[in-house]
Amino acid sequence: MSQTSPSVSLRYCLTLDESQDGFALATFGKKQITRFITPLVSVAIIAWGFYLGFNQVGRYYVALGAFFLILQLLMRYWFLPMMFKRQFVKYQLGKSEQGIELFQDYAEIYANGTKQTFNYRDVQNFAIGKLTYMLELKNRTVVIVPKRAFMQPADQTLFENTFKK
């Protein structure tokens, strides 16, 4: 017998900081170590260049590694946040109400006046950020839920336990 009223019902509008936190969870991975793989490869290229000898061919490896490292830093900390903020303001994403309701066997997401239903087994990734939770479904839909939307700690605990694997 299915449940007629939701266990948890949330309605919210995302702020820019919450959207950036959710975007970071979705793009950089849910584990902190994945954020450092590409910079570590660049540092390894630099180290390899010094190992080969800075006066010979090694200086090209050092320059290449430094170029990759600077490019990654610019992309991660300047370009992507700037572009994200620009798109957020341009399309007024923070002004649209969103929501999620958890039932016994499924959940419903609300966004832009439309409703989508999904089963809990359709959740591919669940990540906890500083300000938000991120759900990635198997159909590549990403749902960002701010932590401030929870009025009661019991609802937040139920939400986390529902999606943790």
Side-chain angles (χ1 to χ4, degrees), residues 13 19 23-24 27 36 43 52-53 63-64 78 88 90 104-105 108 113 127 131-132 136-137 141 144 161 163:
C13 293
S19 295
F23 180 73
T27 57
F36 300 110
V43 170
L52 291 177
L64 185 66
W78 176 73
F88 186 86
K90 181 178 180 181
Q104 184 175 355
D105 299 324
E108 293 178 348
L131 303 172
T132 60
E136 182 182 1
L137 306 179
T141 301
I144 300 169
N161 291 336
F163 295 109

Side-chain angles (χ1 to χ4, degrees), residues 2-160:
S2 66
Q3 195 173 344
T4 57
S5 64
S7 303
V8 176
S9 180
L10 305 171
R11 294 289 186 271
Y12 52 88
C13 293
L14 290 172
T15 65
L16 177 61
D17 292 334
E18 291 167 344
S19 295
Q20 286 177 325
D21 185 50
F23 180 73
L25 288 173
T27 57
F28 297 136
K30 62 181 180 178
K31 297 183 193 268
Q32 290 290 333
I33 190 72
T34 59
R35 295 181 182 198
F36 300 110
I37 289 176
T38 52
L40 286 176
V41 169
S42 297
V43 170
I45 292 171
I46 293 170
W48 179 253
F50 280 116
Y51 174 76
L52 291 177
F54 192 73
N55 292 333
Q56 297 171 355
V57 76
R59 67 176 169 233
Y60 298 114
Y61 284 98
V62 171
L64 185 66
F67 175 73
F68 285 154
L69 191 61
I70 290 168
L71 194 63
Q72 290 165 20
L73 291 173
L74 283 174
M75 289 293 290
R76 185 169 291 170
Y77 296 109
W78 176 73
F79 183 74
L80 287 176
M82 183 215 29
M83 289 304 295
F84 189 86
K85 181 177 179 182
R86 184 175 177 210
Q87 296 298 320
F88 186 86
V89 171
K90 181 178 180 181
Y91 294 108
Q92 299 179 353
L93 297 175
K95 293 184 180 177
S96 63
E97 185 183 54
Q98 301 174 26
I100 188 167
E101 291 182 346
L102 302 182
F103 293 91
Q104 184 175 355
D105 299 324
Y106 64 96
E108 293 178 348
I109 8 178
Y110 299 91
N112 299 323
T114 60
K115 176 176 81 169
Q116 179 182 355
T117 303
F118 66 92
N119 292 320
Y120 295 134
R121 67 179 177 271
D122 292 337
V123 176
Q124 186 173 351
N125 288 326
F126 173 69
I128 301 173
K130 295 175 190 171
L131 303 172
T132 60
Y133 297 104
M134 187 275 305
L135 298 169
E136 182 182 1
L137 306 179
K138 288 182 181 175
N139 66 2
R140 300 310 237 177
T141 301
V142 174
V143 181
I144 300 169
V145 180
K147 290 182 178 181
R148 68 169 167 76
F150 293 94
M151 298 299 172
Q152 300 173 356
D155 288 346
Q156 192 169 0
T157 305
L158 178 65
F159 183 83
E160 286 182 16

